[in-house]
Amino acid sequence: MKTTANVARAALLAVVVVLSAVASAASMAEERESVPRILVSGEGSAEIAPDMAVLVLTVSREAKTAREALDANSAAMAEVLQAMRDEGIADRDLQTAGFSIQPRYNYPAPKPSGEREPREIIGYAVRNSLSVRVRDIDRVGAIIDKSVTLGVNEGGNITFTNADPAGAIAEARTEAVKDARRKAETLAAAAGVKTGRILEISEHSVAPRPIPMLNAEVAMSRAADAAPPVAAGENSYQVTVQVTYAIEQ
């Protein structure tokens, strides 16, 4: 009997604890909702020069059979890969970004009667794309020039980035919080009140958008002995914060 009574008391105590926790949470939520508040957003940005470039180089070959197109493509891409390694690009910075084998069709003209003959396969196209991370931006133009010479005939888009943007993001984050504080104080002063403690804060970071700088067709149109010029510019890292301040009357 004592065991049963002990179990009953323990169960009752557990129910009381749960109800107390629920009541406490509800009370805190009600208190938060009842606090007058100011909700503002702040923006911050930091600009730094990129220290790495990502190239996408594509080899495209066509032939009457898929086998012939694949063999031609593989031979050209093997030369490109070896050239990248000869330029000092590490294997960890070389990655296949896409691969496809697609039939090429011929669509016969419709007959005078309007009847259409079925399409026919006249060949195959094989595309193989290689993503290359270049950690020495000064060499980007020369690498593009060499890859085109070896058979790259599509792609060539460049994305300038940073290996470690943590410092720039931290700076942008600090500026965003300061901006939010200034806005909140301006609003509070206009309303004849003061800002109090921070109730909530959240963040949204935006990395630089990839900007296509050059494509292989442009590079191929240049003189064979001239590497295409490349301008790296700056990357801008942006942070937006949402901050909720309590209002002190």
Side-chain angles (χ1 to χ4, degrees):
M1 296 295 292
K2 287 184 178 181
T3 301
T4 303
N6 290 337
V7 171
R9 280 195 297 270
L12 178 60
L13 179 60
V15 171
V16 171
V17 170
V18 170
L19 291 177
S20 297
V22 172
S24 177
S27 176
M28 291 175 62
E30 184 178 352
E31 180 183 357
R32 285 197 301 268
E33 291 298 327
S34 64
V35 175
R37 60 190 59 205
I38 297 176
L39 175 61
V40 293
S41 64
E43 298 178 353
S45 64
E47 289 71 35
I48 55 175
D51 56 21
M52 184 168 65
V54 180
L55 314 179
V56 178
L57 308 174
T58 301
V59 172
S60 178
R61 292 291 184 273
E62 296 182 1
K64 286 192 174 183
T65 68
R67 178 77 266 169
E68 292 173 336
L70 178 61
D71 289 345
N73 188 290
S74 298
M77 182 54 77
E79 290 187 4
V80 173
L81 280 167
Q82 187 57 51
M84 295 300 103
R85 296 185 178 105
D86 292 343
E87 288 289 331
I89 306 298
D91 285 342
R92 68 190 178 102
D93 292 329
L94 299 171
Q95 185 177 48
T96 298
F99 183 87
S100 67
I101 300 176
Q102 298 290 338
R104 296 174 58 245
Y105 293 99
N106 177 52
Y107 295 87
K111 296 180 179 180
S113 62
E115 181 183 355
R116 289 183 177 272
E117 296 183 2
R119 64 182 183 179
E120 58 178 347
I121 295 178
I122 58 174
Y124 289 85
V126 176
R127 299 178 74 254
N128 192 349
S129 297
L130 178 68
S131 174
V132 183
R133 284 185 293 196
V134 183
R135 299 180 186 272
D136 182 356
I137 290 181
D138 292 338
R139 297 170 58 206
V140 169
I143 289 175
I144 292 176
D145 185 69
K146 188 168 187 177
S147 66
V148 171
T149 301
L150 293 174
V152 169
N153 55 356
E154 289 187 26
N157 291 339
I158 306 175
T159 301
F160 290 108
T161 184
N162 295 91
D164 183 11
I169 294 175
E171 181 181 342
R173 185 179 292 123
T174 299
E175 291 301 319
V177 173
K178 289 180 179 179
D179 184 48
R181 166 64 73 177
R182 288 191 294 266
K183 290 179 179 179
E185 290 176 348
T186 299
L187 290 172
V193 295
K194 294 182 179 180
T195 57
R197 71 185 190 279
I198 294 178
L199 301 177
E200 293 180 6
I201 186 168
S202 62
E203 172 200 328
H204 175 64
S205 300
V206 179
R209 294 181 179 179
I211 302 176
M213 299 294 295
L214 185 74
N215 56 50
E217 288 78 7
V218 173
M220 291 174 67
S221 68
R222 297 184 55 82
D225 60 348
V230 175
E234 284 188 334
N235 285 336
S236 178
Y237 291 86
Q238 301 176 352
V239 172
T240 299
V241 295
Q242 298 284 342
V243 185
T244 302
Y245 292 91
I247 295 177
E248 292 183 356
Q249 301 293 343

